[in-house]
């Protein structure tokens, strides 16, 4: 069950200023570190195993419908974004979209907040996958609880709770938005549709209505993503996108730290 906004605010304060017991020690950085930029190693070949992919129902579904597992009546902070004529800017679940910025106490690694995000993301490598994972507990993740927790833990930015809502956040607030992998930059959020197969031809004839966003991850550069795809693929992992089904499934990407 979700925490109310007051409790979540206390959680953020704990993460930012005291460090909670379940948080790894590689979180918010207050010392100088050089930006990584190294070519991160792919975890293994499970995301290229056609037989595994065809039987992996969690990977095929992604987090589509995950919001239904939570109390939709849960109070959320009032939205700061507005559309023309004063209409509130809402995510697909009907909650206000609120623009977030890094907490000013966080020192960007190498002058770039994206490196704080990536350092935090990599600290959770191997964390188990659970569909509809608790958004307030980083002991397990699905794809969107992973990205949300990483930005919350690394920068104090509390993003929406599922992939469709985080995509709506990117559409509303990102200065850079794109649909082609070649435009992706390190630290961007990438959004993918459901798995239909391993070939580009499995996706080219799909209409926009047939390509709902159901999966997401954080781009590392060099054609790679860090994400949490399914229990069978091992939870949080690093994979190559280029020339693989993830590239064919890409619906949207964008940078929210520009």
């Amino acid at each position: 069950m979700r925490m109310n906004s007051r409790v979540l605010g206390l959680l953020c304060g704990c993460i930012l200023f005291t460090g909670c017991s379940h948080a790894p020690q590689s979180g918010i950085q207050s010392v100088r570190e050089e930006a990584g930029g190294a070519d991160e190693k792919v975890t293994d070949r499970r995301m290229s195993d056609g037989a595994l992919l065809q039987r992996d129902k969690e990977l095929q579904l992604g987090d589509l419908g995950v919001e239904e597992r939570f109390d939709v009546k849960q109070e959320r902070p009032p939205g700061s974004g507005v559309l023309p004529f004063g209409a509130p800017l809402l995510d697909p679940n009907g909650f206000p979209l609120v623009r977030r910025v890094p907490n000013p106490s966080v020192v960007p690694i190498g002058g770039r907040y994206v490196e704080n995000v990536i350092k935090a993301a990599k600290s959770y490598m191997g964390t188990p996958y659970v569909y509809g994972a608790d958004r307030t507990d980083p002991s397990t993740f699905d794809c969107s609880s992973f990205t949300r927790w990483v930005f919350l833990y690394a920068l104090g930015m509390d993003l929406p709770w599922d992939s469709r809502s985080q995509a709506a956040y990117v559409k509303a607030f990102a200065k850079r938005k794109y649909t082609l992998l070649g435009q992706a930059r390190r630290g961007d959020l990438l959004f993918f549709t459901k798995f239909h197969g391993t070939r580009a031809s499995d996706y080219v004839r799909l209409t926009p209505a047939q390509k709902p966003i159901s999966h997401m991850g954080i781009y590392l550069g060099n054609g790679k993503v860090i994400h949490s795809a399914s229990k069978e693929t091992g939870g949080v992992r690093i994979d190559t996108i280029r020339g693989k089904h993830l590239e064919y499934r890409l619906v949207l990407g964008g940078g929210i730290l520009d």
Side-chain angles (χ1 to χ4, degrees):
M1 183 176 292
R2 289 182 177 168
M3 295 184 173
N4 62 36
S5 58
R6 184 175 181 180
V7 174
L8 185 56
L10 292 175
L11 172 65
C12 295
C14 169
I15 294 168
L16 287 168
F17 300 114
T18 63
C20 296
S21 59
H22 55 246
Q25 295 301 310
S26 57
I28 294 174
Q29 302 298 308
S30 58
V31 296
R32 295 182 188 173
E33 292 190 50
E34 292 186 4
D39 189 14
E40 287 88 354
K41 294 180 63 175
V42 170
T43 301
D44 54 40
R45 296 184 58 83
R46 277 181 281 187
M47 285 289 286
S48 298
D49 184 336
L52 183 155
L53 299 177
Q54 292 294 342
R55 69 172 183 264
D56 192 340
K57 300 303 181 183
E58 288 178 335
L59 181 143
Q60 293 174 23
L61 177 65
D63 77 346
L64 193 62
V66 71
E67 188 78 5
E68 297 172 3
R69 297 171 64 95
F70 301 111
D71 179 6
V72 296
K73 296 179 181 179
Q74 175 65 43
E75 179 185 356
R76 291 222 183 161
S80 62
V82 293
L83 292 174
F85 311 110
L89 185 57
L90 304 177
D91 73 16
N93 301 300
F95 293 110
L97 284 169
V98 182
R99 186 191 296 273
R100 305 297 188 183
V101 297
N103 187 286
S105 69
V106 178
V107 176
I109 297 173
R112 303 185 67 216
Y113 284 122
V114 297
E115 298 303 331
N116 300 65
V117 169
I118 289 172
K119 184 177 180 66
K122 290 169 66 175
S123 75
Y124 288 106
M125 286 287 292
T127 300
Y129 178 96
V130 170
Y131 176 79
D134 186 343
R135 266 57 183 160
T136 66
D137 179 1
S139 61
T140 61
F141 293 121
D142 58 21
C143 65
S144 51
S145 67
F146 170 62
T147 54
R148 176 187 172 270
W149 188 268
V150 165
F151 274 82
L152 179 63
Y153 175 53
L155 300 177
M157 295 175 64
D158 188 14
L159 302 180
W161 287 41
D162 67 8
S163 60
R164 293 186 308 145
S165 296
Q166 289 185 43
Y169 182 94
V170 167
K171 290 178 181 178
F173 301 125
K175 295 180 180 177
R176 289 184 301 103
K177 297 179 282 286
Y178 48 85
T179 59
L180 298 176
L181 181 61
Q183 296 176 274
R185 298 181 189 173
R186 186 170 169 87
D188 284 359
L189 291 173
L190 301 181
F191 300 89
F192 308 91
T193 193
K194 296 189 294 183
F195 177 84
H196 290 283
T198 58
R199 301 169 300 179
S201 59
D202 295 323
Y203 300 90
V204 293
R205 292 185 176 85
L206 296 178
T207 67
Q210 294 172 320
K211 297 172 66 176
I213 289 170
S214 65
H215 184 60
M216 64 180 301
I218 300 170
Y219 189 60
L220 297 175
N222 299 306
K224 295 176 183 175
V225 66
I226 184 167
H227 62 145
S228 181
S230 70
K231 185 180 299 181
E232 193 159 357
T233 54
V236 178
R237 54 183 290 117
I238 294 173
D239 285 294
T240 296
I241 307 175
R242 202 174 304 282
K244 307 289 185 179
H245 63 91
L246 282 171
E247 180 173 13
Y248 312 144
R249 294 166 57 190
L250 182 66
V251 174
L252 172 70
I256 60 173
L257 295 175
D258 295 348

